Amino acid sequence: MTYNYCTLFDSNYLTRGLAMYESLKEQSNEFHIYIFAFDDKSYKLLNKLDLEFATIVPLESFEDKELLKVKNHRTSAEYCWTCTPSIIKYSIEAYNLESCTYLDADLYFFSNPAVLIEEMGKKSVLITEHRYTPKYDQSATSGIYCVQFMTFKNDENGIKALNWWRNSCIQWCYARFEDGKFGDQKYLDDWTRRFDGVHVLQNLGGGVAPWNVQQYDLDSKEFSLIFYHFHNYKILEGDQVELGDYKLSVNNINMLYKPYTQHLERLTQDLIKFDNVNDYNGIVKHRLFHWKNILRKLKRKINGTYNVLNKQRFLGN
């Protein structure tokens, strides 16, 4: 059985998107992924790479009049969120798929995610909870569920939920909490009541992220990590990396972030052979000595969440 996935990213996220693809390829050869390239640079380079299990879809192929009507009124991130249900719908309809699973580009697989999809059985939609560690609980503003790994079957219940979500995101999808909405995500809060056939993922190995990793012992033989969500991971100028604003143990940094950073570096060096001009990591410039950044750094150090590290720490140099 072939499991069908879709994702979206632009050139600033290309190394992360490729790392996700390669980790999926490492864990499963029974898959195909539809990658929606959100700028020309990523589209051209992805085609040069000739990925074995991927179809590269350019913006002009799937953008319709409804999406184009709102595009200029949203930031790049907001427009990506707006398009999430649309790329799932396009993949199912254009390629006549029985089902399609959306993947965030900053996921990374440590074992085969097929077990997560199989868990939904005869249900039509699969959603995953944030499972926040209590001190980081943002359910009220960011949503109970995370748009990171979602499956929709090509059946009545699946398409009904998908169409409702798409229409809702076109109508309103912004990076702010307003009237019970936030981006594309808060819309999912009532799906177990609003729609038939919705399954909430039970496997704790799917959906591990910096906001909940504190709850798990990744070394335990009883815990099987399926994927980790590298939310808010940034590559900074000055050969530094930012791991986000959550408290991370040294063990989790070494088990998760070290191999991830090494993989991104290998991809960066490989891509230089194709293009030695453009940045495919979305390197962030930061004003280290700006007073706001100094205060933020002090606050995070006090809270144990200052996760800006020298990249060479991970590369063994």
Side-chain angles (χ1 to χ4, degrees), residues 4-6 32-36 55-58 61-62 87-100 154:
N4 294 295
Y5 302 95
C6 67
H32 193 85
I33 186 167
Y34 299 89
I35 300 176
F36 290 74
T55 296
I56 314 304
V57 184
S61 290
F62 88 95
I87 73 164
I88 305 168
K89 179 179 172 67
Y90 181 92
S91 298
I92 290 174
E93 294 180 349
Y95 302 103
N96 193 29
L97 307 181
E98 292 184 3
S99 68
C100 188
N154 187 4

Side-chain angles (χ1 to χ4, degrees), residues 25-42:
K25 182 180 176 181
E26 177 71 19
Q27 301 301 331
S28 171
N29 60 2
E30 298 179 330
F31 80 97
H32 193 85
I33 186 167
Y34 299 89
I35 300 176
F36 290 74
F38 264 54
D39 59 13
D40 289 338
K41 285 197 299 183
S42 60

Side-chain angles (χ1 to χ4, degrees), residues 138-150:
Q138 303 168 60
S139 301
T141 54
S142 294
I144 300 169
Y145 306 101
C146 182
V147 176
Q148 58 179 341
F149 187 101
M150 300 176 64

Side-chain angles (χ1 to χ4, degrees), residues 272-302:
I272 287 174
K273 300 173 185 176
F274 289 88
D275 184 347
N276 196 26
V277 177
N278 293 301
D279 165 32
Y280 293 102
N281 285 298
I283 294 176
V284 177
K285 295 182 179 181
H286 58 130
R287 294 181 294 172
L288 186 61
F289 299 108
H290 189 276
W291 69 270
K292 287 185 178 180
N293 287 336
I294 293 173
L295 290 177
R296 182 169 178 262
K297 178 179 178 179
L298 288 173
K299 181 179 179 181
R300 291 177 63 187
K301 278 185 171 292
I302 292 171

Side-chain angles (χ1 to χ4, degrees), residues 168-236:
S168 298
C169 287
I170 289 174
Q171 182 178 0
W172 191 99
C173 189
Y174 297 97
R176 62 177 183 266
F177 178 72
E178 180 179 302
D179 297 329
K181 303 186 291 290
F182 177 81
D184 57 351
Q185 203 156 257
K186 281 287 285 179
Y187 289 120
L188 279 59
D189 277 7
D190 68 353
W191 276 22
T192 57
R193 302 185 303 276
R194 181 184 291 271
F195 300 112
D196 294 327
V198 176
H199 176 73
V200 179
L201 185 70
Q202 299 300 301
N203 191 322
L204 298 180
V208 183
W211 55 75
N212 63 32
V213 69
Q214 302 80 16
Q215 304 170 46
Y216 309 119
D217 179 4
L218 301 185
D219 285 325
S220 172
K221 294 181 179 180
E222 298 177 357
F223 187 86
S224 178
L225 177 63
I226 309 296
F227 70 81
Y228 187 79
H229 189 163
F230 284 91
H231 169 74
N232 216 22
Y233 178 100
K234 299 184 182 73
I235 299 176
L236 309 178

Side-chain angles (χ1 to χ4, degrees), residues 52-119:
E52 181 180 2
F53 299 103
T55 296
I56 314 304
V57 184
L59 274 176
E60 58 266 23
S61 290
F62 88 95
E63 283 183 312
D64 55 29
K65 61 181 181 180
E66 288 85 4
L67 290 171
L68 291 172
K69 186 176 180 180
V70 302
K71 184 174 184 177
N72 291 332
H73 301 286
R74 303 194 180 164
T75 66
S76 296
E78 289 169 346
Y79 186 61
C80 286
W81 296 347
T82 301
C83 289
T84 301
S86 292
I87 73 164
I88 305 168
K89 179 179 172 67
Y90 181 92
S91 298
I92 290 174
E93 294 180 349
Y95 302 103
N96 193 29
L97 307 181
E98 292 184 3
S99 68
C100 188
T101 300
Y102 168 76
L103 306 175
D104 263 354
D106 51 1
L107 302 187
Y108 196 86
F109 293 94
F110 292 85
S111 57
N112 195 336
V115 65
L116 306 180
I117 300 171
E118 292 301 319
E119 183 189 294

